[in-house]
Amino acid sequence: SKSKHQSNVDGLSDSLVNETVYYSIQTKELYPWTDSIPEEVFMEYVVPFAVVNEPRTFSRFLLFNALKDSLEQYERSNNNTTQSAEEQIKDVVKLVNTKIWSIMGRNSKEPIVFKASQTPRIYDPLSVIAYGYASCTGLSIFLVQSLRSIGIPARLAGTPAWWGDQSKGDHSWVEVYVPSNQTNSAGQWLFLEPTPGIAEGNESASNADNLDRNPCERWFCKAERFNGSTKTFATRYDRQATQYFPMAWSDGDKGVPGEERTTYYSSTCGKCK
């Protein structure tokens, strides 16, 4: 049997691991879109309790329960829609990016907001909730974990240095796995930015970012930024990955697995003026 020390390596206990596994299973029981997520994608981008090297905290059950009422219409027992899994996921991602900021804010009129230069002081979900703000990395991790809590595969993406120059700054955003409507066709990773600051009652006018938005409408998705010198990456959880995810707030740390996404963003954003 494991010693007390062994069972709590890295601050982890059986209860933290069990919590994320339990709620991952709950999403499979509740939400029909999970049927269309390949097992290997679900295991790597829904089940894990961490995104990068943020503090390991109990947030899965909070986010799962916070979103449950808003997603009631999508539950298997209430779902009579003819929507595909792709359409459902796109709708739900926009709903979450619209509502989660006020649901988890100090109150419905004081949503979670953006505040620059907070990483690594505030970037795990419970810290974001406690302070009511975070910068792009903390907000992106918060949105990733919110989506994972309802069975939607999500991961952190970004660049550690614009134009390969750390003095030019860095940026983080979110990628979401969307299954294909076409039989025998692979799904794809699409990206969006968190849209914090939406108070209750302002949802319809908020125009939160979503997966159907033209990438060129995002401020950073421009040819001048993705001219080949800006390297971009996305997180993974598989420890067998040969690439690591460079973290601007933890320079030189190679402990988080990743994959390079430079070709994708250079192609997608290289068309944007």
Side-chain angles (χ1 to χ4, degrees), residues 81 265 269:
T81 182
Y265 285 101
C269 299

Side-chain angles (χ1 to χ4, degrees), residues 151-173:
I152 295 178
R155 62 189 185 183
L156 186 70
T159 178
W162 290 119
W163 299 285
D165 183 348
Q166 290 183 324
S167 69
K168 302 293 186 183
D170 60 278
H171 191 46
S172 299
W173 57 89

Side-chain angles (χ1 to χ4, degrees), residues 78-144:
N78 303 319
N79 187 14
N80 298 313
T81 182
T82 58
Q83 281 186 311
S84 66
E86 176 184 354
E87 292 168 330
Q88 284 187 327
I89 285 175
K90 287 182 175 182
D91 283 355
V92 170
V93 167
K94 183 175 183 179
L95 183 152
V96 172
N97 199 18
T98 299
K99 290 191 171 186
I100 194 63
W101 315 107
S102 62
I103 291 174
M104 301 307 294
R106 296 184 185 280
N107 58 62
S108 62
K109 300 300 181 184
E110 290 186 78
I112 293 168
V113 297
F114 171 81
K115 188 174 182 179
S117 304
Q118 299 303 308
T119 308
R121 187 169 72 94
I122 302 170
Y123 71 131
D124 69 280
L126 289 192
S127 293
V128 174
I129 294 168
Y131 283 91
Y133 56 78
S135 50
C136 62
T137 299
L139 295 174
S140 294
I141 290 174
F142 188 81
L143 183 55
V144 166

Side-chain angles (χ1 to χ4, degrees), residues 40-104:
E40 65 274 13
V41 174
F42 191 88
M43 293 297 292
E44 187 165 5
Y45 299 107
V46 172
V47 177
F49 49 80
V51 179
V52 283
N53 63 345
E54 75 276 16
R56 279 42 172 154
T57 53
F58 290 85
S59 63
R60 186 68 60 104
F61 79 99
L62 285 175
L63 298 169
F64 175 89
N65 288 312
L67 289 165
K68 196 170 186 300
D69 286 347
S70 297
L71 298 178
E72 185 176 4
Q73 63 177 310
Y74 292 98
E75 293 181 11
R76 292 185 194 275
S77 59
N78 303 319
N79 187 14
N80 298 313
T81 182
T82 58
Q83 281 186 311
S84 66
E86 176 184 354
E87 292 168 330
Q88 284 187 327
I89 285 175
K90 287 182 175 182
D91 283 355
V92 170
V93 167
K94 183 175 183 179
L95 183 152
V96 172
N97 199 18
T98 299
K99 290 191 171 186
I100 194 63
W101 315 107
S102 62
I103 291 174
M104 301 307 294

Side-chain angles (χ1 to χ4, degrees), residues 48-49 66 76 108 174 177 184 236 244-245 258:
F49 49 80
R76 292 185 194 275
S108 62
V174 176
Y177 179 85
N184 298 323
R236 295 194 61 184
Y244 69 94
F245 182 80

